[in-house]
Amino acid sequence: HLLLFLLFVGPFNCFASYSRATELFYSLNEGLPAGVLIGSLARDLRLPTASGQRPVASQPQLSFTLASRGLGEQYVQLDNRSGELHTSAVEIDREALCVESSGVTVFGGEAAVSSSPSSESCLLLLDVLVLPQEYFRLVKVKIAIRDVNDNAPRFPVPHIRLSVPENAPVNTRLAIEHPALDPDVGTNGVQTYRLRDNYGVFTLDVEENESGERNPYLIVMGALDRETREEYVTVIIAEDGGTPPLMGSATLTIGISDINDNCPQFSDSQLNITLYGNSSLGTHVATVHAVDMDLGSNAQITYSYSQKVPQSSRDLFHLDESTGAITLSSKVDGDTPRLHRLIILGNGPGCIPAVITVLVTIIKVMMRPPEVVPRFIANEAEGVVYLKELEPINTPIAFFTIKDPDEKYKVNCYLDGDGPFRLSPYKPYNNEYLLETTKPLDYETQQLYEISVVAWNSEGFHVSKIVKVQILDDNDNSPVFSQQLIELSIEENNVPNAFLTKLHATDADSGERGQVSYFLGPDAPSYFSLDKTTGVLTVSTQLDREEKEKYRYTVKAVDSGFPPRESIATVTITVLDKNDNSPRFINKDFSFFVPENFPGFGEIGVISVTDADAGQNGWVALSVLNGSDIFVIDTGKGVLRAKVSLDREQQSSYVLWIEAVDGGDPALSSTAKITILLLDINDNPPLVLFPQSNMSYLLVLPSTLPGSPITEVYAVDKDTGMNAVIAYSIIGRRGPRPESFRIDPKTGNITLEESLMQNDYGLYRLLVKVSDHGYPEPLHSTVMVNLFVNDTVSNESYIESLLRKEPDISIEEKQPQISIEPTHKKMESASCMPTLVALSIISLGSIALVTGMGIYICLRKGKKHHRADENLEVQIPLNGRINLHMLEKKPMEISNI
């Protein structure tokens, strides 16, 4: 049912929509930015939302849609809800748009609603659909694009030429082709034309044709004369009617064309000429010349005799119609009249002829002058002899035959003029003369000679024959450099293809023989270039002074003669230094071994540093960056010294950083690491750390087994190596049986050698020598080891009194023999076996006694640590200061029996 309803209602809706079609007209300026309001369709169609109030809930929402998909859609934006039409981001250009839209015209003004479009407007056509169904409309929107003055007039050609005849009357009008064009219309189009300079004889007028175009016309305002001025150059300016007006211009050249308004004229009215009666045929008599100020065919002049000139004169004198030259055409004899009046006419096209009279007076001569007849041997043309400059001396030029026409006078001949030439009689013939050279000819000195061969007879008549000698150039000169030694300089690290100099060589020869080309010699490096034509010398790569400081090679200048000649010059190039190299230490790290206690300011070592640069750029200054309070370096020699004596025991090595700075600007620098290792010398004797005093003592029980450790002497040496290897020895003894004790030379452990008897009780004093193995002289210290053999210490005051007495000990120096090994302290393990053997010998086989003693010894082992602590309590330290090495020293265990 719904489908049938739509089929029934649909056609009526179409008719209704068509009947509600509406047209709206708007106009706006071209070139507006995006977002400018063109118009509101809802408001202009008076739709319910036109008031801007919010529609009620029962009222449907209007929708506006562009139905057309034409050219105009890209220039506008339509709000689908409000129906407002705005400009888009695509700028409207009326001139471009009208071309696309059949070329209609555009006007200027603000956007507004118009009842009808202007007939001259450029239109955008849009179709807009208004929905929903109850408000449905098809709205035809026409937008007129109005013109703005955004284009200046422009002539199609930059130069306009116009021709005006010189007889053009005043107010003559001439159309100027190629008028200016302006895409704008109306008053924004071309309105007026004017001339920048009218010279007082021209002006412009503007006429508008049927299509509305304005064309300029040139009007002649004054008289023109081509002979006074044949061309006028000015600027024609076209101006539109915009605000402000825009202008365009072109060059206007007005040429004045010639008309035949001038006739030939002679400068003189009469010429008086004298001619000798013996003149030969063809002798030039005179030349007449008339002038016509016109051009081209209007200035062509021909010459002719007047009808008044008798035929006899016409036959005697020939007149050239084109040049006006008059020559003798017949021989003068005795019947020839002595005066001739030649009336000559200068004829121009359409003109009355100009007239000049030539009066020729013939002087009768009774005898004829001598004749000079040349016969040329060298190449000759039109009276000019051509000789090569390398021709040898006495090269013949010509023979001259001297004749006397009357054959009754003696004729002499001589040469007149300067030059390396000689005219001499050629024997055995009479009146024959030979012209020849006397010296080598040099084109570079003089190219042309003019000499005369003069003949005269005895009556004084002279006749001369002029001979011109042209010297031809040969390739007899080599190119010459302006300098044979060309000294140049350039800084290193130059840019590629850097200009060095321009070579210049000259060649005195002419033509191609004097054209010089330049070439590098075979000894020139490949990275130098020499322009063959200009002589410009360049270097194609960067030069490095440190790689090569001087270049020396040859260059050649070669001419274009055959065979070619050349010359050679020498080029020397000095590469100037730039500070492009940092100082360079020979080694990155330097190590020096110096014995300690080295005297202050003694030479520790030499720091070697180089700089590849030259001059001040290569001067290097050394300085100590750290440790400058102890060390100093000699800048010039690089000698490193210590200000004070160095002690290895205080510091065994030093690490310094040395900086090298060159003298360039800006300066470059580098650093090197210096390690100074102090070599030990034997300057420290062993230091006894235990016992701490010569007044201390140790209680030794009589029951101590042989081989048992009693105590030790512990010493250290601040030196190193062999200087710190310590040996212990007993050099003095005192006591009841002093040889009962021995000391280990390596460890310093003092052990009991023999069993103690009852008679062995008492105080033992051992003088121990602690010696190192230093070189060249070992150092040593001594210490007194006091041992008190007794069961108990009952009277300490007595023991102390014995210690205070000066011991009477004889020194028995004995160098201990030990192997140089690291001294590691070892506790000798107490062995029961030697004690048992000794007791068995004393008891003479008493088994019961042996068994009892064995039990006794085992019981004493269990109490070893406790007794050791008691023995240590008896020691009397006299030195309150304890070396740090004592902190690592553990208390020694001593077995007391």
Side-chain angles (χ1 to χ4, degrees):
H1 294 85
L2 177 60
L3 177 61
L4 292 174
F5 176 76
L6 292 176
L7 290 174
F8 180 78
V9 178
F12 296 98
N13 287 342
C14 293
F15 285 110
S17 301
Y18 181 80
S19 62
R20 298 172 68 184
T22 308
E23 285 191 357
L24 291 178
F25 302 96
Y26 300 101
S27 64
L28 76 159
N29 291 347
E30 62 172 327
L32 294 177
V36 175
L37 177 64
I38 300 174
S40 174
L41 274 64
R43 179 189 63 200
D44 297 333
L45 294 174
R46 295 183 176 84
L47 295 178
T49 59
S51 61
Q53 297 178 357
R54 203 174 174 84
V56 296
S58 61
Q59 190 174 14
Q61 178 68 45
L62 293 179
S63 173
F64 300 87
T65 307
L66 284 174
S68 60
R69 290 294 183 267
L71 178 65
E73 184 181 3
Q74 62 178 319
Y75 298 105
V76 298
Q77 288 184 340
L78 176 63
D79 191 308
N80 293 337
R81 294 185 174 274
S82 66
E84 290 184 348
L85 198 62
H86 295 83
T87 57
S88 69
V90 180
E91 184 179 296
I92 299 176
D93 183 4
R94 188 205 63 81
E95 290 73 31
L97 181 62
C98 286
V99 170
E100 295 175 359
S101 303
S102 303
V104 291
T105 313
V106 181
F107 291 89
E110 297 180 355
V113 178
S114 175
S115 59
S116 63
S118 171
S119 60
E120 296 183 350
S121 61
C122 175
L123 298 178
L124 285 179
L125 302 179
L126 304 173
D127 290 341
V128 181
L129 294 178
V130 182
L131 296 175
Q133 185 69 26
E134 56 267 31
Y135 295 99
F136 174 78
R137 290 189 186 186
L138 175 62
V139 181
K140 298 284 188 178
V141 179
K142 296 181 180 180
I143 304 174
I145 309 303
R146 294 183 301 213
D147 182 41
V148 297
N149 192 27
D150 57 347
N151 292 281
R154 184 177 62 85
F155 286 91
V157 293
H159 192 280
I160 303 172
R161 186 170 185 85
L162 188 65
S163 180
V164 181
E166 63 177 329
N167 63 344
V170 176
N171 293 327
T172 298
R173 298 169 63 86
L174 299 170
I176 298 177
E177 297 181 358
H178 309 297
L181 304 176
D182 193 329
D184 297 326
V185 296
T187 57
N188 292 332
V190 177
Q191 298 297 313
T192 61
Y193 291 87
R194 58 186 172 88
L195 295 176
R196 180 171 294 174
D197 187 357
N198 58 19
Y199 297 99
V201 293
F202 300 105
T203 188
L204 290 179
D205 188 20
V206 179
E207 290 186 1
E208 186 173 346
N209 59 19
E210 296 179 355
S211 61
E213 297 178 349
R214 293 176 177 264
N215 296 322
Y217 286 82
L218 182 70
I219 301 177
V220 179
M221 300 298 294
L224 303 175
D225 184 8
R226 189 207 62 80
E227 288 72 31
T228 303
R229 184 164 187 169
E230 62 181 3
E231 187 177 76
Y232 297 86
V233 180
T234 184
V235 176
I236 182 172
I237 300 172
E239 186 173 316
D240 62 22
T243 304
L246 302 178
M247 292 176 289
S249 63
T251 301
L252 177 63
T253 301
I254 305 169
I256 308 302
S257 60
D258 184 51
I259 63 170
N260 192 23
D261 57 345
N262 291 279
C263 290
Q265 291 182 355
F266 288 104
S267 58
D268 297 314
S269 60
Q270 181 174 310
L271 291 177
N272 297 316
I273 303 298
T274 299
L275 182 67
Y276 289 100
N278 61 352
S279 298
S280 59
L281 296 179
T283 299
H284 179 266
V285 178
T287 299
V288 295
H289 181 67
V291 177
D292 192 325
M293 299 298 293
D294 293 326
L295 290 176
S297 61
N298 294 330
Q300 289 182 354
I301 301 174
T302 60
Y303 302 93
S304 62
Y305 284 125
S306 171
Q307 297 293 329
K308 298 179 181 180
V309 178
Q311 188 62 40
S312 60
S313 297
R314 294 170 181 253
D315 294 339
L316 185 61
F317 300 103
H318 174 264
L319 175 63
D320 189 296
E321 292 184 356
S322 299
T323 63
I326 303 171
T327 56
L328 184 64
S329 59
S330 297
K331 189 173 182 179
V332 177
D333 55 21
D335 298 331
T336 302
R338 296 294 175 257
L339 181 64
H340 296 266
R341 184 183 296 273
L342 305 178
I343 301 174
I344 300 174
L345 304 178
N347 304 299
C351 292
I352 298 174
V355 180
I356 186 172
T357 301
V358 179
L359 292 178
V360 181
T361 302
I362 298 177
I363 300 175
K364 185 177 181 180
V365 178
M366 296 306 296
M367 65 176 182
R368 291 177 292 178
E371 293 181 0
V372 179
V373 180
R375 289 173 293 166
F376 292 100
I377 302 172
N379 293 329
E380 181 268 341
E382 297 181 358
V384 179
V385 178
Y386 295 93
L387 292 177
K388 292 184 178 181
E389 64 175 329
L390 296 181
E391 293 287 354
I393 301 175
N394 301 326
T395 297
I397 300 174
F399 278 113
F400 289 89
T401 302
I402 309 301
K403 295 181 180 181
D404 179 15
D406 297 330
E407 297 182 353
K408 59 181 180 180
Y409 300 100
K410 182 180 179 180
V411 180
N412 293 317
C413 185
Y414 69 91
L415 187 64
D416 185 22
D418 296 328
F421 306 103
R422 176 176 59 217
L423 183 66
S424 58
Y426 190 72
K427 297 178 179 181
Y429 304 101
N430 294 325
N431 296 330
E432 293 288 344
Y433 293 86
L434 176 65
L435 179 63
E436 58 186 354
T437 61
T438 59
K439 294 180 181 179
L441 303 175
D442 188 3
Y443 173 87
E444 289 71 37
T445 303
Q446 187 169 345
Q447 293 86 36
L448 181 65
Y449 296 90
E450 188 171 319
I451 56 179
S452 297
V453 177
V454 181
W456 85 98
N457 58 19
S458 57
E459 296 298 321
F461 280 93
H462 291 74
V463 175
S464 63
K465 182 67 177 179
I466 298 176
V467 179
K468 294 182 179 180
V469 180
Q470 176 68 54
I471 309 302
L472 301 178
D473 187 29
D474 273 318
N475 193 30
D476 59 339
N477 291 279
S478 299
V480 177
F481 280 100
S482 56
Q483 294 175 282
Q484 287 300 313
L485 178 60
I486 304 163
E487 296 179 328
L488 307 173
S489 63
I490 184 174
E491 280 194 343
E492 64 176 329
N493 303 331
N494 55 281
V495 297
N497 300 317
F499 172 84
L500 293 175
T501 189
K502 183 175 182 181
L503 303 180
H504 180 66
T506 57
D507 194 314
D509 295 324
S510 62
E512 291 185 355
R513 291 173 290 273
Q515 292 180 359
V516 179
S517 300
Y518 302 91
F519 301 93
L520 290 172
D523 54 346
S526 60
Y527 39 83
F528 288 96
S529 301
L530 180 59
D531 190 282
K532 131 180 225 190
T533 304
T534 63
V536 172
L537 181 64
T538 57
V539 56
S540 61
T541 186
Q542 282 190 348
L543 299 180
D544 187 359
R545 189 204 65 82
E546 290 73 37
E547 181 178 338
K548 189 171 184 179
E549 184 176 5
K550 287 189 178 293
Y551 295 86
R552 185 183 180 93
Y553 53 87
T554 57
V555 291
K556 295 190 298 183
V558 183
D559 63 23
S560 301
F562 183 80
R565 301 174 70 96
E566 66 180 38
S567 61
I568 296 177
T570 302
V571 175
T572 63
I573 301 174
T574 302
V575 183
L576 303 179
D577 184 51
K578 291 181 71 174
N579 192 28
D580 58 343
N581 289 278
S582 300
R584 182 174 175 269
F585 289 94
I586 292 180
N587 299 315
K588 291 184 179 180
D589 296 331
F590 290 85
S591 296
F592 296 108
F593 296 87
V594 181
E596 63 174 330
N597 301 330
F598 196 70
F601 291 98
E603 181 178 324
I604 295 176
V606 177
I607 310 299
S608 298
V609 62
T610 60
D611 194 313
D613 294 322
Q616 187 170 347
N617 294 332
W619 181 83
V620 179
L622 298 174
S623 61
V624 181
L625 296 180
N626 62 327
S628 59
D629 53 340
I630 300 177
F631 297 94
V632 66
I633 192 167
D634 188 333
T635 297
K637 299 180 180 179
V639 177
L640 181 65
R641 305 175 189 274
K643 298 179 183 178
V644 296
S645 179
L646 303 178
D647 187 359
R648 189 203 64 81
E649 285 71 38
Q650 292 184 0
Q651 187 170 340
S652 61
S653 64
Y654 296 87
V655 176
L656 305 179
W657 289 95
I658 304 297
E659 181 182 39
V661 181
D662 62 23
D665 185 19
L668 301 177
S669 64
S670 61
T671 57
K673 180 182 178 182
I674 311 297
T675 302
I676 300 173
L677 300 174
L678 296 183
L679 301 177
D680 184 49
I681 62 173
N682 194 26
D683 59 343
N684 290 282
L687 175 63
V688 178
L689 300 179
F690 184 83
Q692 296 183 5
S693 172
N694 290 335
M695 301 299 291
S696 61
Y697 64 95
L698 178 67
L699 177 65
V700 179
L701 298 177
S703 59
T704 302
L705 297 177
S708 298
I710 304 300
T711 184
E712 70 171 342
V713 176
Y714 179 71
V716 295
D717 196 313
K718 293 181 180 181
D719 297 323
T720 60
M722 295 294 295
N723 296 331
V725 176
I726 298 175
Y728 301 90
S729 62
I730 299 175
I731 61 173
R733 304 168 184 265
R734 186 179 179 187
R737 192 152 55 98
E739 59 275 0
S740 300
F741 301 95
R742 67 176 293 272
I743 189 168
D744 190 304
K746 293 189 296 182
T747 64
N749 289 337
I750 297 176
T751 57
L752 181 64
E753 282 293 296
E754 300 175 355
S755 299
L756 297 174
M757 302 301 177
Q758 188 172 4
N759 296 331
D760 298 333
Y761 285 34
L763 180 63
Y764 290 79
R765 308 198 74 176
L766 306 177
L767 181 60
V768 178
K769 178 181 179 182
V770 183
S771 177
D772 58 26
H773 285 66
Y775 179 84
E777 185 69 28
L779 302 178
H780 67 273
S781 300
T782 57
V783 64
M784 188 69 73
V785 178
N786 302 305
L787 302 177
F788 185 61
V789 178
N790 201 9
D791 291 327
T792 60
V793 180
S794 58
N795 190 350
E796 291 184 5
S797 299
Y798 171 71
I799 298 174
E800 291 176 0
S801 64
L802 294 177
L803 294 175
R804 282 194 290 271
K805 292 181 180 180
E806 187 67 29
D808 184 10
I809 299 177
S810 60
I811 304 299
E812 297 179 1
E813 183 62 36
K814 193 175 193 181
Q815 188 67 25
Q817 300 295 325
I818 62 172
S819 61
I820 308 303
E821 296 177 357
T823 56
H824 299 285
K825 302 291 288 182
K826 295 181 180 179
M827 293 298 297
E828 296 181 359
S829 58
S831 178
C832 297
M833 188 58 65
T835 305
L836 293 175
V837 173
L839 294 176
S840 60
I841 294 173
I842 297 172
S843 61
L844 299 176
S846 178
I847 297 174
L849 182 59
V850 171
T851 301
M853 289 299 294
I855 295 173
Y856 179 79
I857 292 172
C858 291
L859 291 177
R860 297 296 294 178
K861 283 184 179 182
K863 299 179 181 180
K864 179 172 56 174
H865 295 290
H866 178 68
R867 291 295 182 88
D869 293 338
E870 290 178 353
N871 292 337
L872 291 175
E873 291 176 358
V874 182
Q875 299 176 16
I876 305 174
L878 300 179
N879 189 358
R881 298 180 62 188
I882 305 297
N883 191 285
L884 293 176
H885 293 283
M886 291 296 292
L887 297 177
E888 300 177 359
K889 184 70 177 177
K890 294 181 180 180
M892 181 180 178
E893 297 180 358
I894 300 176
S895 298
N896 294 313
I897 300 176

